[in-house]
Amino acid sequence: MTQLRVDTTSRAALSSLSAIKAAGGGNSRLNGLLTPPDSPLALKAQQQKSKASEIAAVAGEDEHKGGREWIRHPVSWPQFKRYVDAQNLEPLGRSLETHTTYEMVMAARRKEYGSVAKYLTTHVLPDFTASTMEAGFDPHSALGVEDFELLINDFPYYLSDDVEHWVLWCRKRLPPGFAAPAAAVQAIHAKFGAAIEWRYFVNPVAKQSVPQLSHAHVFVKRA
């Protein structure tokens, strides 16, 4: 899945909001000129205002809610390990820009496909999830390495640059928690090597963005 990078769009939209917030009703004043409301320039400004308002609304959310909303500063690897080892996920989250992009993309996928899970099984994991549709498939049977697929997270948590955020998709059900099953450990070691430093957890069901598809979050410390 191609990673989306539109953070610059978010910044531009937020800047546009302050530049055009005085516009509206009757004529708009753009670049010091009085512009008719039905002109192309005024219509474009209104579109920018609407876009910027959406992003500003996200920016106005209370980041203290936790629940993987957004946070102001990146979390270092040592601090991240302390949080996860203490099973405390509340201080973690995406940057404002990544969170804004994430919310907009998820909404677009739900609108077009009906659900994010449908988008993933259609475009990202079609072969991987095909076996789950076969007769007799048991999502609670014993796990094997073949039941896992590691993909980089398109919307990673806000961590220091030496940390990678991956999603470990699983054909079968993974229980919420911090203990990686033996087969998951094997899959991680097969991808990164046994010497790599990493952390794993499965979000509580209420916090899972795609509860229909079982997955864990894997964080890898790169040298």
Side-chain angles (χ1 to χ4, degrees):
M1 178 163 58
T2 302
Q3 186 165 3
L4 300 175
R5 297 184 180 277
V6 294
D7 288 351
T8 53
T9 302
S10 300
R11 284 194 292 270
L14 284 170
S15 298
S16 299
L17 180 61
S18 59
I20 63 179
K21 65 191 300 183
N27 294 338
S28 300
R29 185 171 296 279
L30 301 172
N31 299 323
L33 301 176
L34 197 62
T35 307
D38 57 349
S39 70
L41 186 60
L43 292 174
K44 182 178 180 181
Q46 187 59 40
Q47 291 173 350
Q48 290 177 328
K49 182 179 179 181
S50 177
K51 174 75 169 178
S53 295
E54 293 178 10
I55 295 173
V58 175
E61 290 177 355
D62 180 7
E63 71 267 40
H64 299 295
K65 287 188 298 184
R68 268 64 77 211
E69 292 291 339
W70 63 276
I71 58 177
R72 294 183 180 276
H73 306 290
V75 177
S76 68
W77 178 246
Q79 183 62 66
F80 176 79
K81 288 192 297 182
R82 286 193 286 272
Y83 287 145
V84 175
D85 292 349
Q87 301 187 8
N88 178 20
L89 302 180
E90 290 307 308
L92 305 179
R94 299 176 175 89
S95 68
L96 172 59
E97 292 171 332
T98 300
H99 173 70
T100 302
T101 302
Y102 168 82
E103 292 291 340
M104 294 165 62
V105 170
M106 293 299 105
R109 289 174 179 171
R110 284 190 290 268
K111 181 177 180 180
E112 182 173 356
Y113 294 90
S115 70
V116 177
K118 180 63 175 178
Y119 166 82
L120 290 169
T121 56
T122 301
H123 294 290
V124 181
L125 302 164
D127 297 332
F128 179 70
T129 57
S131 64
T132 64
M133 309 300 176
E134 297 175 357
F137 177 80
D138 182 2
H140 302 288
S141 60
L143 290 167
V145 177
E146 69 280 359
D147 290 316
F148 293 96
E149 178 80 12
L150 266 163
L151 296 176
I152 195 71
N153 194 321
D154 289 339
F155 308 100
Y157 290 176
Y158 198 14
L159 305 171
S160 54
D161 292 339
D162 57 345
V163 184
E164 293 179 355
H165 184 176
W166 293 73
V167 180
L168 182 64
W169 298 101
C170 184
R171 291 189 182 98
K172 299 170 184 175
R173 301 312 299 174
L174 291 172
F178 298 81
V185 175
Q186 293 175 24
I188 294 168
H189 286 174
K191 179 74 172 181
F192 303 111
I196 198 76
E197 194 173 4
W198 56 277
R199 288 296 186 274
Y200 162 110
F201 63 78
V202 176
N203 271 322
V205 175
K207 299 294 185 183
Q208 293 179 15
S209 57
V210 194
Q212 302 93 328
L213 299 176
S214 192
H215 61 283
H217 293 267
V218 175
F219 303 83
V220 176
K221 171 68 166 62
R222 291 297 195 180

